Amino acid sequence: MKKGILILIVAGVGVWLFLITSINLGVLRSGRQVSQLQNEVSIKEARNQYEEVEIARLSSPQRVITFAREQLGLVEEKPHEVVVLEETK
């Protein structure tokens, strides 16, 4: 009788230890995943900030004018060179 109770107690403690270990491993894995995701978010936020600065730089009026002149060969019009066409219906 005492031997059966002892075996039951040992088995119960073993199951309990197994469950505790499993839970701890799950918590550690989750913590690692959270840390990795936080790192990814930081990287993406830094990249986003860089992209916003780059958009502002490239879309500035002076940058567009310089690009138009140097890359597209456009020149500013003179008032007497502007011809306005009327839309025909």
Side-chain angles (χ1 to χ4, degrees):
M1 178 82 171
K2 287 186 177 188
K3 193 173 188 181
I5 292 175
L6 184 59
I7 290 173
L8 258 168
I9 291 173
V10 169
V13 169
V15 168
W16 181 77
L17 288 173
F18 175 78
L19 290 174
I20 294 297
T21 302
S22 296
I23 291 170
N24 282 338
L25 287 175
V27 168
L28 288 174
R29 278 189 212 117
S30 295
R32 233 185 343 256
Q33 286 176 336
V34 167
S35 179
Q36 287 173 342
L37 290 173
Q38 286 174 333
N39 190 35
E40 285 180 36
V41 166
S42 295
I43 290 169
K44 289 182 189 278
E45 284 176 342
R47 177 70 182 186
N48 190 41
Q49 185 177 9
Y50 168 80
E51 294 295 339
E52 287 175 357
V53 169
E54 192 66 7
I55 287 169
R57 182 184 73 81
L58 292 174
S59 63
S60 73
Q62 187 56 46
R63 169 77 171 110
V64 173
I65 292 169
T66 301
F67 180 82
R69 285 185 183 144
E70 295 174 1
Q71 302 296 320
L72 303 176
L74 299 179
V75 293
E76 288 187 46
E77 76 285 344
K78 295 181 175 79
H80 65 276
E81 294 176 340
V82 176
V83 176
V84 178
L85 300 175
E86 292 185 27
E87 184 178 341
T88 58
K89 295 182 183 180

